[in-house]
């Protein structure tokens, strides 16, 4: 091998190394997302086996009060005003 071939080989290895370094974070992110999705799916399956179906459960009402928000109160007040043209 002469000097030009060695220089070309070193350049090619450097370019491939930089490409791997740039692609590595995205590949690791995809693998992590797939692992998390699998864990979530398994948790849902385990939870579904332990609990009774939703149709058999009695639906409970919320214990929170049903006080309207400030935005609702303001909108109701604005709608109730009558505009009279002179």
């Amino acid at each position: 091998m002469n000097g030009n071939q060695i220089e070309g080989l070193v350049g090619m290895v450097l370019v491939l190394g930089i490409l791997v370094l740039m692609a590595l974070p995205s590949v690791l992110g995809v693998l992590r997302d797939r692992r998390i999705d699998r864990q979530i799916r398994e948790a849902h399956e385990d939870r579904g086996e332990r609990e009774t179906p939703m149709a058999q459960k009695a639906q409970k009402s919320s214990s929170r009060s049903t006080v309207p928000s400030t935005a609702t109160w303001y909108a109701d007040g604005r709608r109730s005003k009558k505009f009279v043209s002179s």
Side-chain angles (χ1 to χ4, degrees):
M1 286 182 103
N2 62 18
N4 288 337
Q5 290 175 331
I6 292 174
E7 190 176 324
L9 181 63
V10 169
M12 186 173 56
V13 169
L14 284 175
V15 168
L16 289 175
I18 291 171
L19 178 66
V20 167
L21 286 176
M22 291 180 69
L24 189 64
S26 62
V27 170
L28 293 176
V30 168
L31 293 175
R32 180 177 178 264
D33 286 346
R34 291 185 65 184
R35 178 179 51 92
I36 292 171
D37 289 342
R38 187 185 71 239
Q39 290 174 346
I40 291 172
R41 189 171 46 251
E42 289 172 356
H44 279 290
E45 290 171 359
D46 291 344
R47 187 176 182 189
E49 293 172 0
R50 286 188 311 212
E51 292 184 355
T52 58
M54 292 298 290
Q56 294 177 356
K57 287 185 177 181
Q59 185 176 1
K60 296 180 181 179
S61 64
S62 174
S63 61
R64 294 178 59 189
S65 66
T66 56
V67 176
S69 68
T70 305
T72 305
W73 172 81
Y74 179 76
D76 287 342
R78 298 283 292 172
R79 274 182 261 161
S80 65
K81 292 182 179 178
K82 304 281 187 204
F83 292 106
V84 178
S85 58
S86 302

